[in-house]
Amino acid sequence: MIFRFLFVVAVSVSFDSCVNDPETVKSMTGMQQLPMQTARDVDLLYSDSAKLKIHLKAPRVDEFGGSKPYTVMPIGVKVEFFDSEGKIDSYLSADHAVRRDREQTMEARGNVELLSVEGKKLNTDHLNWDGTSRRIFTDAFVTITTADQVIMGTGLEADDMLENYTIKNITGSFLLNE
């Protein structure tokens, strides 16, 4: 009788110990989520209603799944944005970028440069884009260069065309001589 009881307890404990919580395993092994898909030397054209909107180039693109899928360009990205007539209206480059499709957001980090065809240039180390409101923003140091002036400061809010912008804390501004 005691043997049967110990056998049942041993079997119960062994079955109970076979359940693995993914979060526990991840914390114990230090593993991070792996991409579902990785592409190299990506040259992507994105269009909407047969109109070219974006031309993206990246040495590597990692796509992650789950309940909140996202795309990472871990070693750089260059993007050309097109207007409604199919003409380039701005450029973006960064050392690293993360795109969250469901949230319609993008975060760029490291040597971020946004250049409009009108000649306005934004340089920063961190820039966020909200596709829903078509706004860009950062709390990092920024430099905006136009044809006749340079403005530096910390923090920026602007439309994604860099036509209307506000620098939160201006630390320097000077006019350029032609």
Side-chain angles (χ1 to χ4, degrees):
M1 182 74 156
I2 297 238
F3 176 72
R4 188 180 290 173
F5 175 74
L6 290 174
F7 178 75
V8 170
V9 169
V11 169
S12 297
V13 168
S14 67
F15 281 132
D16 187 44
S17 66
C18 289
V19 177
N20 292 324
D21 176 40
E23 293 303 315
T24 303
V25 172
K26 188 188 298 183
S27 69
M28 289 173 53
T29 63
M31 288 179 49
Q32 296 184 3
Q33 182 181 9
L34 296 175
M36 292 184 342
Q37 181 173 293
T38 295
R40 302 217 183 268
D41 298 322
V42 173
D43 191 343
L44 174 77
L45 297 172
Y46 172 78
S47 62
D48 185 15
S49 303
K51 291 187 179 187
L52 183 60
K53 296 290 183 184
I54 296 172
H55 179 207
L56 179 141
K57 288 185 175 187
R60 187 173 109 204
V61 175
D62 297 329
E63 291 188 15
F64 294 85
S67 61
K68 294 183 178 181
Y70 60 99
T71 303
V72 178
M73 289 138 283
I75 52 177
V77 64
K78 293 183 181 199
V79 185
E80 297 174 327
F81 298 94
F82 295 85
D83 65 14
S84 60
E85 297 174 10
K87 296 177 186 171
I88 296 173
D89 62 11
S90 59
Y91 303 88
L92 172 78
S93 63
D95 293 341
H96 181 273
V98 177
R99 167 87 172 131
R100 299 184 192 290
D101 289 330
R102 286 189 182 159
E103 293 86 358
Q104 294 186 10
T105 63
M106 183 172 144
E107 178 183 11
R109 290 190 175 272
N111 298 308
V112 180
E113 182 172 270
L114 179 63
L115 178 64
S116 71
V117 292
E118 290 85 27
K120 288 182 190 167
K121 181 169 71 170
L122 166 66
N123 294 92
T124 187
D125 278 329
H126 184 216
L127 188 65
N128 294 292
W129 173 72
D130 182 335
T132 305
S133 64
R134 298 193 52 99
R135 305 283 300 162
I136 58 174
F137 56 94
T138 185
D139 289 328
F141 181 79
V142 297
T143 302
I144 294 183
T145 306
T146 66
D148 57 355
Q149 69 178 346
V150 175
I151 306 170
M152 296 169 284
T154 304
L156 169 104
E157 291 185 21
D159 60 71
D160 61 1
M161 298 302 298
L162 204 56
E163 291 173 352
N164 300 303
Y165 57 87
T166 301
I167 296 177
K168 296 178 185 176
N169 183 21
I170 295 176
T171 57
S173 176
F174 54 93
L175 297 175
L176 299 174
N177 294 330
E178 293 194 51

